[in-house]
Amino acid sequence: MLESLFAQFDSIVVLDTETTGFSPRSDEVIELALLRVTAAGEAEEYDEFIRLSPGKRLPEKITELTGITEEMLRGGVGKNEAARALADMLAHGRTLVVAYNAQFDLVFLYYLLDAYGLAGTLRGVRFLDALTVYKDRRPYPHRLADAVAAYALVSQNTHRAIDDAHATWELLCAMDAEAGDLDRYLNLFGYNAKYGLPKRRISSVAYRPQGFDAVGKLYDIPEEGCT
């Protein structure tokens, strides 16, 4: 299972976040889930709510979507503790970070780490966006819930970080069993050409336009055809 990835990495960390909104500068991570799996099959989890900054409120629409309340967050950990837990999870030799719509999570987590001088822990880490792979495998729509249904996964997309991390791990395994090319997507993120390149880009990632209905593999797009 995932032989092409574990041939290159000591561990795979699947992560997911829940946030107060879409802006990594003005919004905050309110739940962080990390699922680390080694080549030997050992696994460990981290899942914590993260307290809001003083004066911040949790939007009602986020509670409606996730079921997370301000009371739940008050019992969570501080941002410093969450940042250090993430940094520790990444400090295990050759690590691959996987997420569904990884661009979103990684930019938020960069700001979380950077606030405590820990952004350097991302240096040298490689990334795989499960959404990019899924868009090459199945037609629109491409929500995590659609991927769960398409592959009849056990874990469900609940908009809670740990559940979604487990669903992403299962999806990764299912897509690997379907076609063993996941290693071709390392540090390769698709983006919607209609909206252009992400405003905050990850320097080690190659971004290539990806349509709703793939006509080929994103990694086969010639370099000169990339934005």
Side-chain angles (χ1 to χ4, degrees):
M1 181 176 65
L2 300 174
E3 292 180 1
S4 68
L5 297 182
F6 280 122
Q8 301 182 52
F9 302 99
D10 301 317
S11 62
I12 297 174
V13 174
V14 181
L15 59 81
D16 189 71
T17 64
E18 298 300 333
T19 68
T20 59
F22 296 105
S23 171
R25 285 190 180 276
S26 58
D27 289 307
E28 303 188 354
V29 178
I30 55 173
E31 185 182 15
L32 172 63
L34 307 167
L35 173 62
R36 176 175 172 266
V37 182
T38 70
E42 300 171 335
E44 64 175 310
E45 293 182 7
Y46 176 90
D47 179 37
E48 294 287 352
F49 293 122
I50 302 173
R51 293 192 293 271
L52 290 170
S53 297
K56 286 280 188 177
R57 300 298 304 271
L58 183 63
E60 289 184 7
K61 62 182 180 181
I62 299 300
T63 298
E64 293 171 2
L65 178 66
T66 66
I68 298 172
T69 65
E70 287 193 358
E71 183 177 2
M72 294 163 72
L73 297 181
R74 283 193 287 271
V77 301
K79 291 177 175 55
N80 190 350
E81 181 178 332
R84 295 192 180 282
L86 173 58
D88 289 345
M89 192 73 83
L90 298 179
H92 290 278
R94 300 173 303 165
T95 299
L96 172 66
V97 169
V98 178
Y100 198 86
N101 193 11
Q103 174 71 23
F104 178 88
D105 294 295
L106 290 172
V107 174
F108 266 93
L109 292 176
Y110 171 83
Y111 280 102
L112 177 66
L113 290 167
D114 190 53
Y116 300 98
L118 297 170
T121 59
L122 291 173
R123 192 172 298 117
V125 174
R126 301 190 75 185
F127 310 109
L128 191 151
D129 178 26
L131 171 60
T132 293
V133 182
Y134 182 67
K135 288 175 74 174
D136 267 2
R137 302 291 182 87
R138 296 291 190 277
Y140 182 85
H142 297 118
R143 298 168 304 169
L144 180 56
D146 300 310
V148 167
Y151 286 91
L153 305 181
V154 174
S155 297
Q156 298 297 303
N157 170 214
T158 65
H159 296 291
R160 288 295 305 278
I162 193 61
D163 293 338
D164 292 357
H166 277 285
T168 300
W169 169 257
E170 283 192 51
L171 174 63
L172 189 72
C173 294
M175 292 193 298
D176 179 64
E178 182 179 57
D181 62 353
L182 294 182
D183 57 317
R184 302 287 302 276
Y185 292 90
L186 297 177
N187 282 29
L188 175 63
F189 290 6
Y191 69 92
N192 189 332
K194 177 180 178 180
Y195 301 109
L197 283 159
K199 293 180 180 179
R200 297 176 181 87
R201 296 191 286 278
I202 301 166
S203 61
S204 61
V205 168
Y207 294 91
R208 299 186 184 180
Q210 187 177 33
F212 286 125
D213 297 308
V215 294
K217 300 297 185 182
L218 191 66
Y219 52 73
D220 285 332
I221 295 178
E223 193 68 30
E224 62 268 22
C226 302
T227 301

